[in-house]
Amino acid sequence: MKIKPTSKSLAKNSGQSKATSPQRRRCLGFTLPELLVAMTVLSILLLMLSELLNQVQRTWTFSENRISQFREARVGFDIITKNLSQAALNTYWEPEEDAETGVILRYKRQSELHFKSGPASELGLDTKAVTHALFFQAPLGFSLRYNNLGSLYNARGYYVEFSDDLRYKPSFVKAQPKYRFRLMEYLPPAEENQVFNDGDEERYKKLDAVYDKWYRYNLEEHTHPLADNIVALIISPRQSLGDAGTSAKVIKLAPNYSYDSNDTGLDNPQQVPPLVHVTMVAIDESSAVRFEKGAAAPREVMDAVTSRFTIGSKYTQDLADMEKDLRNSEVNYRVFSSMVAIRSSKWSTY
């Protein structure tokens, strides 16, 4: 049996629906303060995300620029170490006779080729050159006239100088000169190798003087930059791996970094050193631009690299002091270092 709702119950149910309807509508939306709080939180999150993305982008750009800028320095350093490992003097033995009796007293190692390294100022280079320089002969086979002669001996040289780029820019490029530290390579062709030249003055006077200016023959004409922003090149000939360059172990072969294969004072003259420790310091372009002062070399960099690396036993300390000065000047730099073994060396401690 169905019970029909009375008028009182209908009125009661109608009153309840009317009472709960506004509350139900309030649960379906947000109030203005709630929207303002949500928008504030969202803005803060977006701001933090934007700052994070900017930081990541700056870090990525900085790393990418540093890699690309130091890539050129790495290529130049690899060229130095590769060519240096092939340095040779092609020596032979020559008897030394007594002037009166003609009796052979001993045999001496001789060579017409030459290996020379040391501070750039001592090698007679231009005053624009800084730190050390290196010149040697190697069978690299570079010639402008002859082909398929891969064993031709060439002169090679490496040093760092501060100069403009006017000599290397095409004539149609109209731009202000860019002054930078640069790693320079001296590479005359084999047909212009002057190492066998005795010199006109010596020949006319019938002197037996050794011509040691071959590495300055047409220096500017046969020199080109390998890499920009190279501020230091340190060449340290070593006799063994034990020559660590510390105060406890003094460098015996080249205590002042200078080495000359024609030096008769050596224990084993007319030889290339068995090992050469090569160190190169590069800075990035942003640091170079920040310190650029036209034709004047930046004092912040010059103070860090000059007046050092004159005593072989202080190499480690000099390198640490140089890095400290560069960091204090907020210079972004990188040090390349390698011990190069020269394959043709026949050096012996006996």
Side-chain angles (χ1 to χ4, degrees), residues 37-232:
V37 171
M39 292 176 64
T40 302
V41 173
L42 181 60
S43 300
I44 294 175
L45 291 176
L46 290 176
L47 182 63
M48 294 175 60
L49 180 60
S50 176
E51 183 63 25
L52 178 61
L53 291 176
N54 289 336
Q55 184 66 29
V56 171
Q57 184 178 8
R58 285 195 298 266
T59 303
W60 174 268
T61 304
F62 173 80
S63 302
E64 185 69 19
N65 290 340
R66 184 174 182 179
I67 291 173
S68 62
Q69 289 172 7
F70 289 144
R71 186 183 297 118
E72 182 181 354
R74 167 59 68 183
V75 171
F77 186 76
D78 290 342
I79 291 176
I80 293 178
T81 55
K82 178 184 177 181
N83 290 340
L84 177 58
S85 66
Q86 302 181 65
L89 294 181
N90 197 19
T91 58
Y92 58 93
W93 293 98
E94 185 176 78
E96 181 180 359
E97 300 178 352
D98 186 274
E100 297 181 358
T101 63
V103 176
I104 297 177
L105 301 177
R106 60 175 181 170
Y107 285 88
K108 298 190 301 181
R109 184 183 282 111
Q110 296 292 328
S111 175
E112 283 75 31
L113 304 182
H114 198 189
F115 183 104
K116 194 168 185 177
S117 65
S121 58
E122 296 181 6
L123 271 64
L125 297 181
D126 193 279
T127 55
K128 296 181 294 185
V130 296
T131 61
H132 294 176
L134 167 69
F135 295 91
F136 56 90
Q137 300 284 329
L140 301 175
F142 170 61
S143 173
L144 301 177
R145 185 180 304 172
Y146 307 107
N147 298 322
N148 302 322
L149 295 177
S151 298
L152 286 175
Y153 272 79
N154 292 110
R156 278 294 185 275
Y158 300 96
Y159 60 94
V160 172
E161 74 171 17
F162 180 81
S163 61
D164 57 51
D165 58 348
L166 294 179
R167 288 194 295 133
Y168 320 113
K169 289 196 304 186
S171 58
F172 59 84
V173 176
K174 305 299 182 183
Q176 293 296 324
K178 185 169 68 172
Y179 290 88
R180 292 290 186 273
F181 288 95
R182 293 182 174 89
L183 175 64
M184 311 299 293
E185 181 182 39
Y186 176 62
L187 67 166
E191 54 268 22
E192 295 189 37
N193 196 338
Q194 301 294 305
V195 73
F196 301 106
N197 187 354
D198 294 331
D200 294 338
E201 182 179 355
E202 288 82 1
R203 185 165 58 252
Y204 291 149
K205 294 182 180 180
K206 297 183 178 180
L207 299 176
D208 294 331
V210 176
Y211 179 70
D212 62 352
K213 302 180 181 62
W214 54 270
Y215 57 85
R216 288 184 288 175
Y217 170 76
N218 287 346
L219 187 65
E220 288 192 359
E221 178 182 347
H222 297 305
T223 302
H224 72 282
L226 277 182
D228 285 0
N229 300 324
I230 308 300
V231 299

Side-chain angles (χ1 to χ4, degrees), residues 323-335:
E323 292 189 65
K324 180 180 178 181
D325 289 346
L326 292 176
R327 287 194 298 269
N328 290 339
S329 299
E330 298 182 353
V331 176
N332 187 23
Y333 70 94
R334 184 172 180 181
V335 177

